[in-house]
Amino acid sequence: MEGLRCLLPPFALVCAPSNGRQAGTHASSSSRVDVRRLQVLQLPLREQEAYAEVFRSLREFEACLGEVGDLGRGLVSDVSDLLAGGGLGV
C-alpha cells in the first residue's frame, strides 16, 4: 500500500479475526503478521472515512464491554462477601 493515500487505521487490517488467523504467526512470546497475506478491502477515500469511524466505534464498544465485565466481577465479589459474612439475607 506504499504510495497510496489511506484513511483506514492500521488496526483495521488486523482486527478482523479472519486476517488475524490467516496472516498471523506465533513464535515464542512474540507475534508476527505477514502483511502480504492480509485481505484488504479497497475503497474510495470517502468510504474509507466511514469504515474508519465504524472501526473506531467498535474499539470504543469493546473497551466499554471490558469495563462492564470488570464492574460485574467486582459486584459479584462484593455480593459474595456480603453473603458469606451474613450481611445479606436470602
Side-chain angles (χ1 to χ4, degrees):
M1 291 181 60
E2 187 175 324
L4 295 178
R5 187 157 176 236
C6 182
L7 297 176
L8 282 176
F11 64 78
L13 296 175
V14 293
C15 71
S18 60
N19 267 345
R21 285 189 301 271
Q22 231 175 4
T25 59
H26 301 283
S28 66
S29 63
S30 65
S31 298
R32 295 170 43 135
V33 173
D34 183 354
V35 295
R36 297 170 297 183
R37 297 180 67 192
L38 294 175
Q39 294 178 356
V40 178
L41 184 61
Q42 297 188 13
L43 302 167
L45 286 176
R46 287 180 192 236
E47 287 183 52
Q48 286 185 38
E49 291 172 352
Y51 272 76
E53 183 58 36
V54 172
F55 275 111
R56 278 190 284 277
S57 295
L58 281 171
R59 288 289 171 219
E60 289 174 17
F61 180 63
E62 183 179 40
C64 289
L65 287 176
E67 290 177 31
V68 168
D70 292 342
L71 291 170
R73 282 185 288 282
L75 177 62
V76 167
S77 177
D78 292 346
V79 171
S80 295
D81 287 346
L82 285 169
L83 280 170
L88 286 178
V90 181

